Amino acid sequence: MDDQDSRGIIAFLETVHPYDSLPQDELARVATSFGRRDFAEDEVIYRAGDPIAALFLVLQGSIEVLEPSGGLVSLLGPRNSFGERGLLRDGIAVTTARATQGAAVLLLPEAEFRRLIDSYPAFERFFQRGRATEAREADITSRKVGDLIARAPISVPPGTTIRAAAQLMRDKQISCLAVAEGERLRGIVTARDFTNKVLAEGLDPDLPVDRVMTRDPRSLSPDDLGSDILHTMLEHRIGHLPVVDDGRLVGMITQTDLTRYHAVSSAVLVRDAATAESVADLAAITARIPRLLQQLVGSSQAHEVVTRLITDIADTVTRRLLALAEAELGPAPVPFLWLACGSQGRQEQTGVSDQDNCLMIDDAATPSDMAYFARMARIVSDGLDACGYVYCPGDMMATNPQWCQPMRVWRDYFRRWVHAPDPMAQMLASVMFDLRPIGGVASLYSALQAEVLEMAAQNSIFVAHMIGNSLKHTPPLGLLRGFATIRSGEHKNTIDLKHNGVVPVVDLGRIYALIGELPAVNTRARLVAAGEAGVISTSGARDLIEAYDLIAETRLEHQARKVKAGLKPHNFIAPSDLSDFERSHLRDAFVVVRTMQSAVGQARGARS
């Protein structure tokens, strides 16, 4: 492989997790280990049962991964890996992989793959714990029925007229209604009942709906499995199943729900976003993210896997909007790089995300070129807002001319922030230290990132100010082993799992990365790297990672519950909604975070 090819692979790997967590010298070495193969449309890469000796990474095109029975496991695009399940099971493929269009694939030899697994916890965690995700997403049979309920049940009392029930079904765009007294299920009525029992028989539509309902219908409990849904529907030839918990109606499962479930996976959403033809198409795709969040959390995925998969969709949407912008404006006149910061930059997006981004542009840009990029920024930012990634309240977006600049201006920004760390500089530096390339020429940023990390780490005054800034968000700990809840307003008596939960840990991770000159941007990866580099003690890293995992997973579970209830997800949870066990462990996690904040605060005093 020549130097140009190697540089191209390095630039590509810098945008792929977990390779983006590797030190630069290691990344350069790994890049030389990859080989490349091109596959024609419909060409089989390997079949289930074949020996495989490499990890596959999609560079271009699309790959479908199939179960031995032929069922689709996932559809993969650029930056997705496959084949690891075989490597982790004695080198025998457990699925079949086939190119669905012309594809270019990078191959990492098995020995190198295993070395990375053994040497870097980020690789071990990503591949051994997280990469069966797509298969589990598609496996409905082992999921609990309660996790598959799409929304709260819609019901009417038995005395409701047939006409009113039909009108409600029309307005709600549903094919079935539960008939209940209070929360007690008495029957169900379907659109087919209205056709066969009302219209066909000439029945008066003002009669009560209980005249045509199916009484005491077959039902399942929330603890039954998805396989029970399939078996019951197939055996009894029914398309609607109430879900009842101790006589109380809690949901309704329909054949449409099952179809919708199989249509929502991160791979499918990424595939659809990558080929979307308009902003409206992209918005329809991102509207499915809350359901994906619910599915991922319900299948007990680790929080860093859930947020990574959700962020992958935002990345793909952003790249597609960049492509649509270039299709409208013409090719970019000079090299550029679109970067995300905030939760997208850290690959930590949940069901609640705004947009934080910027544009770095080659220094050769002329004033007319800058006008081109201003138009590009507006197209992409407006598109992101239409897709649910709302405008940043602080205007940290590429549409702000301050954040759409040539590289020489960006270098000057970082130098000024480091050497004159006033409060505004600290805030801006905190945001910009979470930058991650999304689309364009990634190498524009790599040299700047290394330069800035070194410059910042060597400035003790800047580090001390950054530490002070990071301590502004504190865990919600009250007296007598209680929580300090919000005292007034819309979210009274709740705790903010974002600003007082995950953000304090995010801030700590950023400080550790700064002190240790660690290139990782993801918070958990930063904590792992800080422990490995000796920035914090091994025990401190372990405790903080476990605390962060608990806080982040509590936040995701809370958001998933809101989605399941048909509500918009948010970050505010009432302690009373948690069990005694959950409250106790969550408080212990907050205590760990406060302890680590105190330790870094003492280090600040030593630096001042």
Side-chain angles (χ1 to χ4, degrees), residues 377-448:
R378 175 54 60 191
I379 291 171
V380 177
S381 186
D382 287 351
L384 288 171
D385 180 72
C387 291
Y389 305 102
V390 298
Y391 299 120
C392 173
D395 204 19
M396 301 290 294
M397 298 181 295
T399 49
N400 182 339
Q402 187 175 5
W403 311 128
C404 179
Q405 292 290 340
M407 293 304 302
R408 61 179 179 275
V409 177
W410 281 102
R411 285 191 169 84
D412 185 57
Y413 282 164
F414 278 103
R415 289 193 188 101
R416 284 192 281 118
W417 294 337
V418 170
H419 294 303
D422 58 33
M424 179 58 71
Q426 296 165 32
M427 186 276 290
L428 293 174
S430 293
V431 173
M432 295 303 174
F433 273 116
D434 292 350
L435 286 172
R436 182 173 61 86
I438 302 298
V441 182
S443 58
L444 283 175
Y445 177 62
S446 55
L448 175 61

Side-chain angles (χ1 to χ4, degrees), residues 174-195:
I174 54 178
S175 59
C176 176
L177 269 179
V179 181
E181 291 179 326
E183 294 184 330
R184 296 288 165 175
L185 178 69
R186 297 307 182 205
I188 63 172
V189 61
T190 69
R192 180 175 294 180
D193 290 329
F194 291 149
T195 300

